[in-house]
Amino acid sequence: MNTRHGFRIFTVRGIPIRIHFTFLLVLPFLAWAFGQRFADAARLAGVPADALSGPPWAWGLLVAVALFASVLVHELAHSLYALSHGGKVRSITLLMLGGVSELTEAPQRPAQEAWMALAGPATSLAIGAACYGLLRATAGAGGFDARFALFYLGQLNVVLGVFNLLPAFPMDGGRILRAVLVRSRGHARATQIAVTVGKVFAGLFALAGLFGGNFFLVIIAFFVFIGAEGEQHAVLSRAVLGELRVAELMASQPAVVAPGDTLYAVGERMIHEKRLYFPVADQGRLLGLLTLDAVERVQLDDRKVTPAGKVMGPAATIAAGDRVADVLRVLAEQRTPVLAVVDQDRLVGTVSRFDVVRGLRLQELLASQHPVAGLAPGGRSA
Ligand SMILES: [Zn+2]
């Protein structure tokens, strides 16, 4: 899922915590839905509804906040496990019914990946069990408000734990399944199997949601499917691209424009050279990136007097020695069509999605014609 559609709320142990917009949509809906079924909810908890203080909507709001806190604790459990086992966590994004911990470096061994995946649901189930335990221990002690809150906090966490344990990749259960399969099948094949199982579950969720009239289940099915698909591509391209370095695929000596060139002149070059962007450089020093979109945003008359340096955006960069497999990730993160390859602040080349696809195709061709060798380092193909 696209975790960039979120905004940062705070930071825990250096990990930025972000909320995805879908989560913000779910919270008010949940508050409303819970308020609607307040009397039923009270009966389920074994508490007389009229003994509870506060209006139903306030309880709904409280449940929404409890869900938020429960998902956060669940994700922190994953991330803290990863941190303590040599992983690096880039961010946590809270989505509905779960979250995504983005790792820059995952734990290396499959067993650790399985434990990391298990850490979240285990924590949720432990909180659920603690809530129910406390309820039982204090049975008949009154304090209806507290009992009601405890009951629903417990229930939310049990649902969160059980749901995430379903072997529907990319949910936690699917990750555990993959880690178990990696031993016998290898990473790529194990991912493929886990992804297939995930897609089957997505189909089942969608069917159950459509026939049961449960809109949420349909949305979850959609996210599971997209997540499974995304992971499949990431893992397969990583496996194929292997150790290939940026220097081997980049376009060296890229065409550049100067910061003083007018937008109109740059537009003319785009037309004649069939380009959608130019790095902006001053005597080899990279200053930014000017895209066709940026040129078009300026009125035609103004283009003749506006210099490129004034409307260029920042250029996302990568080093020539970095792995090609990282290019796709940086392109996606920076939302840019191209990366500038730099040595210190000197521009030495550019690399785009197209270059990565070219690399993938050539690696495949190479594997079919020379099954054991790799693309020769320095054997530039452009
Ligand atoms: Zn989880």
Side-chain angles (χ1 to χ4, degrees):
M1 186 179 324
N2 192 338
T3 53
R4 280 173 281 123
H5 295 152
F7 57 88
R8 185 174 170 152
I9 41 173
F10 51 81
T11 304
V12 178
R13 286 191 52 187
I15 308 167
I17 313 285
R18 295 188 296 189
I19 298 190
H20 195 262
F21 76 93
T22 52
F23 199 62
L24 292 180
L25 296 180
V26 168
L27 289 183
F29 177 79
L30 191 80
W32 174 80
F34 190 82
Q36 290 290 306
R37 310 197 33 163
F38 187 63
D40 291 343
R43 195 173 323 117
L44 200 64
V47 171
D50 48 12
L52 293 167
S53 42
W57 64 262
W59 280 102
L61 211 60
L62 205 62
V63 167
V65 171
L67 175 67
F68 165 80
S70 301
V71 170
L72 178 60
V73 169
H74 174 108
E75 285 311 310
L76 276 176
H78 287 305
S79 292
L80 295 182
Y81 180 91
L83 279 183
S84 65
H85 289 78
K88 290 207 180 92
V89 184
R90 184 197 309 278
S91 69
I92 292 177
T93 304
L94 302 176
L95 312 162
M96 50 179 202
L97 281 182
V100 174
S101 301
E102 274 189 283
L103 306 181
T104 35
E105 271 169 53
Q108 289 303 308
R109 298 208 308 274
Q112 285 181 348
E113 204 196 337
W115 286 115
M116 191 190 93
L118 199 58
T123 304
S124 298
L125 290 174
I127 294 174
C131 289
Y132 289 141
L134 207 58
L135 271 178
R136 291 196 71 137
T138 58
F144 289 128
D145 286 340
R147 299 184 65 76
F148 190 56
L150 212 52
F151 178 83
Y152 276 96
L153 186 63
Q155 201 165 59
L156 278 175
N157 276 281
V158 168
V159 168
L160 209 55
V162 170
F163 186 77
N164 277 287
L165 278 177
L166 292 176
F169 198 84
M171 293 198 304
D172 300 331
R175 293 187 186 278
I176 296 169
L177 175 67
R178 175 173 70 178
V180 169
L181 290 173
V182 161
R183 260 169 221 281
S184 55
R185 316 287 172 102
H187 201 67
R189 183 82 192 106
T191 300
Q192 205 120 52
I193 295 171
V195 160
T196 306
V197 174
K199 285 181 180 173
V200 169
F201 264 96
L204 293 176
F205 288 161
L207 281 178
L210 286 175
F211 286 106
N214 189 335
F215 181 57
F216 273 131
L217 219 44
V218 180
I219 296 181
I220 289 164
F222 175 73
F223 283 149
V224 167
F225 190 88
I226 297 290
E229 193 102 312
E231 186 76 13
Q232 184 177 26
H233 289 157
V235 167
L236 293 182
S237 50
R238 222 176 294 142
V240 174
L241 288 169
E243 288 297 301
L244 201 60
R245 301 289 155 161
V246 170
E248 293 161 48
L249 281 177
M250 70 181 188
S252 43
Q253 296 169 343
V256 298
V257 296
D261 293 352
T262 66
L263 293 187
Y264 188 83
V266 174
E268 290 296 295
R269 281 190 62 189
M270 284 176 171
I271 295 166
H272 290 119
E273 299 174 31
K274 312 278 185 291
R275 294 177 194 278
L276 298 176
Y277 48 77
F278 279 105
V280 181
D282 187 17
Q283 296 179 344
R285 200 166 61 87
L286 177 69
L287 299 173
L289 183 76
L290 185 61
T291 62
L292 185 142
D293 289 341
V295 171
E296 278 188 334
R297 270 196 293 273
V298 176
Q299 294 276 326
L300 183 56
D301 289 341
D302 294 337
R303 284 179 210 162
K304 295 186 177 169
V305 292
T306 310
K310 202 177 165 196
V311 295
M312 68 183 183
T317 59
I318 196 160
D322 286 346
R323 276 203 290 265
V324 173
D326 293 329
V327 171
L328 287 175
R329 178 176 58 73
V330 180
L331 281 172
E333 277 175 7
Q334 307 285 334
R335 295 192 230 190
T336 175
V338 65
L339 299 182
V341 184
V342 289
D343 180 10
Q344 311 289 7
D345 60 352
R346 315 295 297 175
L347 178 70
V348 295
T350 58
V351 62
S352 68
R353 189 175 302 274
F354 177 76
D355 295 317
V356 178
V357 171
R358 190 160 51 88
L360 277 171
R361 297 300 309 273
L362 289 172
Q363 287 289 80
E364 283 165 7
L365 179 68
L366 188 81
S368 72
Q369 300 199 6
H370 303 270
V372 271
L375 199 61
R380 198 150 304 162
S381 46

